[in-house]
Amino acid sequence: MLFTSYEFLFFAAACIVLYYVLPKKFQWKFLLLCSYIFYAFSGVDNLFYIVFTTVSTYFITRKIKSIGDRQSLYLKEHKGELDREGKKAYKAVQKKKQWRLLLLCLFLNIGMLAVVKYTNFAIYNINEVIGWFGSDNTLSFLDIALPMGISFYVFQTMGYAIDVYRGKYPAERNFLKLALFTSFFPQLIQGPISRFDDLSLTLYEEHRFSSKTVSLGLQRVLWGYFKKLVIADRMLVAVNALIGEPEVYTGAFAFAGMLFYALELYADFTGGIDITIGIAQALGIKVTENFIRPYFSKNIKEYWNRWHITMGSWFTDYIFYPISVCGPMLKFSKWTRGHMGEAIGKRIPVWTSCFVVWFATGIWHGASWNFIVWGLMNCAVILVSQELEPFYRWFHSKVNIGGTLGFKIFRVVRTVLLLSALRMFDCYRDVPLTFHMFGTMFTEWNWGELFNGSLMNLGLSLTDYIILIAGAFIIFMVSMLQRRGSVRERIGAKPYPVRFAVWFGLFVIVILLGTYGIGYNASQFIYNQF
Amino acid sequence: MKKKAIKVIVSAVIVILALYGLQRLLMPKYMSGVVEGAMIAEYYDEEKDHDVIFIGDCELYENFSPQVLWDEYGINSYIRGSAQQLIWQSYYLLEETLSYEKPDVVVFNVLSMQYNEPQRETYNRMTLDGMKWSMSKVNSIKASMTEEEEFLDYVFPILRYHSRWNQLTDEDFKYFLNRDKVTFNGYYMRVDVKAAENVPEGRPLSDYEFGENAYNYLDKIRELCEKEGVELVLVKAPSLYPYWYDEWDKQIEEYAGEYNLKYYNFLEEIDEIGLDFTTDTYDSGLHLNLSGAEKMSRYFGKILTEDCGLKSRRGEEDLEKSWDEKREAYNAEIKRQQENIEKEKTEE
């Protein structure tokens, strides 16, 4: 059930209405039912995976908690009998048991994710290696369909398991509550990757109907559909044309495709998240923001703090920090400092952790070398700019342009171009082709062709381009206004006729200009596939 | 509270009116070029007291002239035809029609038996958009939808036609509220001539058997007519193309024989009808022009009178008056088309 399908609109509308009609004590249970119905639409077989994740995580985290409880009880009962060393030894044993359980949980779930998502990628690589040795005996690919949203709910649930292990909060006692946390339908297919202590604050609460809350939620949903249907899916037509014929569309066209894709991805992903957060808001549930005007970032590090925030913070909290402070890494750090000097020695462990995180980020996005290289290129850019920081400081001490608007705009544009260039790995079929297409931007000077009408051969008319430019301008202006607070709330403070005109106008724009229905067939959200 | 309620009601009214207006504006008007999409809706303006109702595709609405049936036999008839009308659409149109009136005879053109499943959205629209809402329309939509179609697009056509905003023409504004009639009791008139030359033979088919679904709806049409006490007459209009295979004809003959129905394959009676495909067709034999349709109607009127026992209703004052008005429009259209042809000839 795509967000852009009529079925979903009916489904979401029915959920919201029934949610407030039902007695409040049934609200969260009803959401669980809705979530499972929603997921079943993607294929009843897929329920196995989400049930497996929920059941395994529930029982293992409950066991982790019970070990913690027993430990507390034991220490209380044997307060006078154990000395400090004895307590420490006992705690270490218990912690080890918990650690093994956590590993089991991670193994089962990440393992399941790996099997369904990466088996064929592994087979592909094995076959490539076999091919290098001149053998024709290749392995057959497996017929495994990737269950919808598995990367999102597995990561979300594993974050929960790790937090329970760390003692950040106790394991949820109610199995059904954990099931809802895992499967909450608005965020099931493309995130955000919520944290339990954050989402649970409002997920299980009883909510009274509030016209203001529902209105604000639906307004955000509408804004999401504007981005998705009017901008992203319209832009997709040209993007597909440009990347579909890389031998034709080189040089300036590759550059155009790069920028077009940047706009499409932004409108698609942020639009989808707006729909997610808007529906949740209409239900009275607060879902973590996933974007804070990422294209206003002045460097790539800042960008990753503002784009797909919940994924970035997941990798930071559950991979980067644990790797950085784990025993072997600390030993490695000590060794590098001793053998390579303080300056280099202290950097290498950070670089290593960074490398692991970005490798994981890349492969999380997709089982292909394109994504892995994309992740590692991001890593390289971040590390290089980090290492050049002293140079930047020196430069700005000599040339006083840092505070000027022009320089700020330069940094923003530079960051957008850099990220857009990296995203070319999303577009082309393999890594060499991506590098080649990037190279043609500098070797083939066909920029004039962009203005000789060739862009009209990409499946878009002049009207479509005007709509895209106007749409991008509206998004830009809204982003500018957002810097001073919620735009919806500011509109909400205007007189009723103004509010009505704004939202009804936007609704009509989506209805008329949206790329949906026969002849269009709205595409899946790009992040669904992850 | 009261103020809030008024605000909500006023807003809702504005939203509904605005969307309805937009929808009406965006829906194709079918007033020029492809006019077939406007045919189905015209029936609702009619006085529903017909002796004969034709249901079927272009082989009916281009080949039979109700005006001739009235003028020469006093038969009051109407053609509920539409482009590529599929048999399930014919069934539901008949079901709907019989809810308005009880004719003596229903004439069904059997060409659509060749289709066993939904075909093209564009043609579906031309048949279904014009129907008034009823269970017949709902069921017809459900039976007709191709995989790419959504039921909701029929309920709210703005969702289907939303992208027409940049194709709107003067016609869309001119016919925003009311549309002109494009047919004469369902008959689509063409007076021009394009002789049939080199009509292709039908290419061999792998299977000549009509599909189960098509038979199912033919059964339903027959059963409905039996239930309503209406005589069902099967016809194959004398269009030379699309090709009508002997194997198909045999199946219809057998069916008609089994259920004691009248079946006329007019392709076998071209000489008796007096059709000359050098002068009586406007598109090389696919459809008859006015001359051909009038010949066909004269011939068929005799069948309706003699075989089906229909009596002339000439003399019924209201009907006479109504058909006089229609004749006037009919003749005016003949004149208009002839003048256009002359004008084109002069320009050449």
Side-chain angles (χ1 to χ4, degrees):
Chain A
M1 206 189 311
L2 291 174
F3 272 9
T4 47
S5 66
Y6 296 146
E7 289 84 358
F8 180 76
L9 291 175
F10 274 118
F11 177 82
C15 285
I16 293 169
V17 170
L18 290 172
Y19 183 77
Y20 287 110
V21 169
L22 283 171
K24 290 184 190 62
K25 63 179 178 176
F26 294 122
Q27 281 179 329
W28 71 264
K29 290 179 185 124
F30 173 69
L31 277 188
L32 175 61
L33 176 70
C34 293
S35 299
Y36 267 74
I37 291 171
F38 175 78
Y39 202 62
F41 267 95
S42 74
V44 177
D45 294 351
N46 288 342
L47 288 173
F48 164 80
Y49 299 98
I50 200 163
V51 168
F52 177 82
T53 295
T54 311
V55 170
S56 59
T57 307
Y58 176 77
F59 284 106
I60 291 172
T61 53
R62 289 302 302 165
K63 185 73 184 163
I64 290 172
K65 181 174 183 298
S66 76
I67 290 171
D69 291 346
R70 274 209 311 273
Q71 175 182 288
S72 304
L73 192 66
Y74 180 85
L75 291 176
K76 200 175 170 188
E77 284 173 355
H78 299 82
K79 203 175 177 182
E81 299 164 27
L82 292 170
D83 59 8
R84 202 175 160 189
E85 286 304 310
K87 280 182 191 171
K88 206 174 163 185
Y90 177 77
K91 279 183 182 175
V93 171
Q94 301 309 310
K95 199 69 188 168
K96 201 166 188 179
K97 284 182 188 169
Q98 289 178 315
W99 171 242
R100 283 182 186 147
L101 284 166
L102 177 66
L103 279 184
L104 175 66
C105 192
L106 294 173
F107 175 76
L108 290 174
N109 287 284
I110 305 283
M112 176 182 76
L113 175 64
V115 168
V116 295
K117 193 164 176 176
Y118 303 111
T119 303
N120 282 333
F121 180 54
I123 291 172
Y124 163 79
N125 286 301
I126 291 167
N127 286 344
E128 286 288 304
V129 173
I130 291 172
W132 293 342
F133 291 99
S135 172
D136 293 334
N137 295 325
T138 53
L139 301 173
S140 302
F141 289 103
L142 300 184
D143 183 19
I144 306 175
L146 188 64
M148 184 180 80
I150 189 167
S151 301
F152 288 97
Y153 68 72
V154 164
F155 268 49
Q156 179 163 303
T157 319
M158 291 309 97
Y160 161 79
I162 295 168
D163 284 348
V164 170
Y165 165 77
R166 287 174 176 172
K168 192 177 175 190
Y169 41 76
E172 175 56 52
R173 292 166 68 95
N174 188 325
F175 174 77
L176 296 179
K177 283 188 174 177
L178 183 68
L180 176 59
F181 170 71
T182 310
S183 64
F184 181 47
F185 78 87
Q187 59 169 49
L188 191 54
I189 50 176
Q190 56 179 354
I193 304 170
S194 293
R195 303 297 176 90
F196 184 78
D197 51 342
D198 189 16
L199 186 62
S200 62
L201 291 175
T202 49
L203 188 62
Y204 312 117
E205 262 187 354
E206 296 178 357
H207 295 108
R208 283 170 66 92
F209 175 80
S210 152
S211 58
K212 190 184 172 193
T213 305
V214 174
S215 299
L216 284 171
L218 296 183
Q219 286 161 7
R220 183 140 186 196
V221 170
L222 185 59
W223 179 236
Y225 278 115
F226 169 77
K227 287 187 194 168
K228 169 67 178 163
L229 293 175
V230 180
I231 310 291
D233 287 354
R234 180 169 268 104
M235 196 76 266
L236 173 72
V237 177
V239 170
N240 279 346
L242 287 168
I243 66 175
E245 291 185 86
E247 62 285 356
V248 176
Y249 294 118
T250 52
F253 290 104
F255 180 77
M258 177 187 98
L259 292 185
F260 286 1
Y261 183 67
L263 175 61
E264 184 213 337
L265 183 66
Y266 174 83
D268 185 280
F269 195 15
T270 63
I273 292 294
D274 284 331
I275 296 169
T276 292
I277 295 178
I279 291 172
Q281 187 173 6
L283 294 163
I285 296 161
K286 194 170 183 320
V287 170
T288 318
E289 290 293 340
N290 216 21
F291 299 93
I292 306 172
R293 299 175 294 287
Y295 284 176
F296 285 3
S297 305
K298 289 186 279 298
N299 58 56
I300 198 163
K301 196 174 175 188
E302 184 188 347
Y303 167 83
W304 278 110
N305 288 326
R306 301 169 71 155
W307 171 277
H308 208 345
I309 297 164
T310 56
M311 182 205 68
S313 68
W314 196 98
F315 278 107
T316 305
D317 290 352
Y318 301 118
I319 295 188
F320 182 80
Y321 289 136
I323 289 177
S324 301
V325 298
C326 70
M329 188 57 84
L330 292 176
K331 280 182 193 165
F332 180 54
S333 178
K334 201 174 170 186
W335 185 87
T336 52
R337 283 174 193 215
H339 289 77
M340 299 176 183
E342 186 68 16
I344 298 289
K346 73 176 182 187
R347 283 180 168 82
I348 286 182
V350 176
W351 293 347
T352 309
S353 302
C354 214
F355 175 87
V356 172
V357 164
W358 282 103
F359 180 88
T361 305
I363 204 162
W364 179 87
H365 276 80
S368 81
W369 283 106
N370 282 47
F371 285 112
I372 294 171
V373 173
W374 166 80
L376 296 180
M377 295 281 286
N378 270 282
C379 176
V381 172
I382 289 172
L383 290 180
V384 167
S385 78
Q386 197 171 293
E387 294 308 322
L388 289 176
E389 200 59 43
F391 168 74
Y392 294 148
R393 277 200 296 273
W394 171 82
F395 177 79
H396 287 296
S397 68
K398 302 287 177 194
V399 184
N400 189 24
I401 56 167
T404 62
L405 179 65
F407 187 67
K408 282 179 189 166
I409 292 172
F410 162 75
R411 293 181 77 192
V412 168
V413 171
R414 176 201 61 186
T415 306
V416 169
L417 287 176
L418 188 56
L419 284 154
S420 305
L422 291 174
R423 286 227 192 83
M424 289 174 78
F425 287 101
D426 282 14
C427 300
Y428 295 102
R429 69 173 173 270
D430 56 38
V431 174
L433 178 63
T434 311
F435 278 116
H436 168 72
M437 295 306 291
F438 181 74
T440 64
M441 289 188 210
F442 304 97
T443 56
E444 292 188 24
W445 291 91
N446 55 349
W447 298 89
E449 289 180 33
L450 286 181
F451 307 99
N452 69 0
S454 300
L455 290 178
M456 300 300 154
N457 300 328
L458 303 176
L460 296 182
S461 63
L462 180 62
T463 316
D464 288 315
Y465 284 109
I466 291 170
I467 292 169
L468 284 168
I469 291 166
F473 180 72
I474 291 171
I475 293 177
F476 173 75
M477 289 310 293
V478 168
S479 299
M480 292 293 284
L481 292 170
Q482 275 174 343
R483 300 190 308 170
R484 281 180 279 146
S486 165
V487 174
R488 282 173 296 152
E489 284 182 9
R490 284 161 71 185
I491 294 170
K494 302 276 180 201
Y496 181 73
V498 176
R499 281 182 277 153
F500 177 79
V502 168
W503 295 115
F504 184 55
L506 185 62
F507 178 72
V508 170
I509 286 172
V510 173
I511 291 284
L512 293 188
L513 306 185
T515 43
Y516 62 91
I518 287 181
Y520 286 120
N521 288 330
S523 74
Q524 270 207 356
F525 283 90
I526 294 172
Y527 263 71
N528 282 15
Q529 62 190 292
F530 304 136
Chain B
M1 189 67 191
K2 196 179 166 191
K3 205 175 162 189
K4 198 174 177 183
I6 291 169
K7 209 161 68 176
V8 169
I9 291 166
V10 170
S11 305
V13 169
I14 293 171
V15 167
I16 290 166
L17 286 179
L19 290 178
Y20 179 72
L22 266 177
Q23 175 168 288
R24 238 186 130 84
L25 182 67
L26 292 168
M27 284 185 78
K29 310 298 181 294
Y30 301 111
M31 287 290 104
S32 59
V34 181
V35 298
E36 284 87 338
M39 293 176 174
I40 290 294
E42 288 185 2
Y43 170 74
Y44 302 108
D45 300 331
E46 280 289 307
E47 191 64 42
K48 295 172 186 69
D49 176 28
H50 299 105
D51 308 312
V52 178
I53 291 289
F54 293 82
I55 48 163
D57 50 22
C58 55
E59 291 199 354
L60 289 181
Y61 68 73
E62 303 206 45
N63 293 353
F64 292 83
S65 167
Q67 186 68 51
V68 172
L69 289 177
W70 172 257
D71 287 345
E72 304 203 6
Y73 299 96
I75 295 170
N76 184 23
S77 64
Y78 195 93
I79 303 170
R80 292 216 76 184
S82 52
Q84 203 187 67
Q85 189 182 103
L86 303 168
I87 188 166
W88 40 91
Q89 294 168 346
S90 301
Y91 167 72
Y92 291 112
L93 273 172
L94 176 64
E95 186 181 74
E96 186 206 38
T97 308
L98 295 184
S99 71
Y100 290 115
E101 59 178 323
K102 296 283 178 289
D104 297 316
V105 174
V106 163
V107 180
F108 172 62
N109 187 58
V110 292
L111 182 68
S112 61
M113 282 294 289
Q114 66 179 302
Y115 299 114
N116 197 47
E117 49 199 36
Q119 297 293 308
R120 289 169 65 183
E121 191 260 353
T122 320
Y123 286 113
N124 284 346
R125 282 285 171 182
M126 285 196 265
T127 300
L128 299 166
D129 277 345
M131 282 179 82
K132 278 190 176 173
W133 278 101
S134 66
M135 277 316 290
S136 299
K137 175 162 176 166
V138 170
N139 291 327
S140 190
I141 292 169
K142 283 195 207 161
S144 305
M145 279 196 305
T146 55
E147 273 182 24
E148 60 180 358
E149 290 181 76
E150 297 273 1
F151 186 81
L152 200 67
D153 289 347
Y154 283 95
V155 181
F156 302 111
I158 191 173
L159 299 173
R160 167 62 184 87
Y161 298 113
H162 66 97
S163 55
R164 279 196 76 239
W165 63 269
N166 59 351
Q167 297 157 18
L168 293 177
T169 62
D170 293 346
E171 189 179 290
D172 291 292
F173 294 93
K174 185 179 172 188
Y175 298 107
F176 178 76
L177 290 175
N178 294 303
R179 297 185 199 177
D180 292 342
K181 281 195 183 297
V182 296
T183 72
F184 302 89
N185 270 41
Y187 168 59
Y188 173 57
M189 182 194 293
R190 289 289 295 262
V191 302
D192 46 330
V193 179
K194 188 180 178 190
E197 292 163 353
N198 304 322
V199 178
E201 279 291 308
R203 56 186 171 80
L205 303 181
S206 57
D207 183 9
Y208 291 91
E209 191 72 23
F210 290 137
E212 196 180 327
N213 196 31
Y215 267 123
N216 179 34
Y217 276 97
L218 186 58
D219 285 340
K220 288 176 113 172
I221 289 173
R222 177 181 52 77
E223 285 161 7
L224 183 61
C225 287
E226 281 170 8
K227 188 180 151 207
E228 298 291 338
V230 179
E231 181 172 9
L232 174 65
V233 174
L234 306 179
V235 297
K236 169 64 191 78
S239 288
L240 302 180
Y241 207 82
Y243 194 78
W244 181 248
Y245 295 90
D246 290 343
E247 291 84 349
W248 288 356
D249 195 54
K250 201 173 159 209
Q251 289 173 70
I252 298 296
E253 271 183 4
E254 283 171 5
Y255 188 89
E258 187 181 347
Y259 294 103
N260 202 23
L261 302 173
K262 293 186 179 73
Y263 169 51
Y264 302 94
N265 178 358
F266 294 119
L267 281 168
E268 292 172 355
E269 297 172 42
I270 286 173
D271 291 339
E272 290 87 335
I273 299 166
L275 290 174
D276 175 356
F277 276 95
T278 60
T279 57
D280 292 336
T281 170
Y282 75 90
D283 54 5
S284 311
L286 271 78
H287 308 101
L288 301 178
N289 58 16
L290 178 70
S291 160
E294 291 194 337
K295 287 178 188 173
M296 179 67 244
S297 304
R298 269 180 215 110
Y299 187 80
F300 190 55
K302 202 172 164 203
I303 290 173
L304 288 171
T305 308
E306 292 176 0
D307 295 1
C308 302
L310 292 187
K311 300 277 184 286
S312 171
R313 293 175 69 187
R314 299 299 294 263
E316 288 185 26
E317 200 179 321
D318 290 348
L319 264 182
E320 287 279 9
K321 196 179 162 201
S322 161
W323 278 107
D324 285 347
E325 284 169 11
K326 285 173 181 172
R327 190 181 303 106
E328 216 168 286
Y330 188 83
N331 290 334
E333 178 62 13
I334 294 171
K335 198 176 165 202
R336 189 191 68 81
Q337 288 197 25
Q338 282 170 339
E339 281 172 1
N340 278 350
I341 292 167
E342 287 305 317
K343 199 175 158 192
E344 277 172 23
K345 273 184 191 165
T346 319
E347 282 171 1
E348 278 170 15

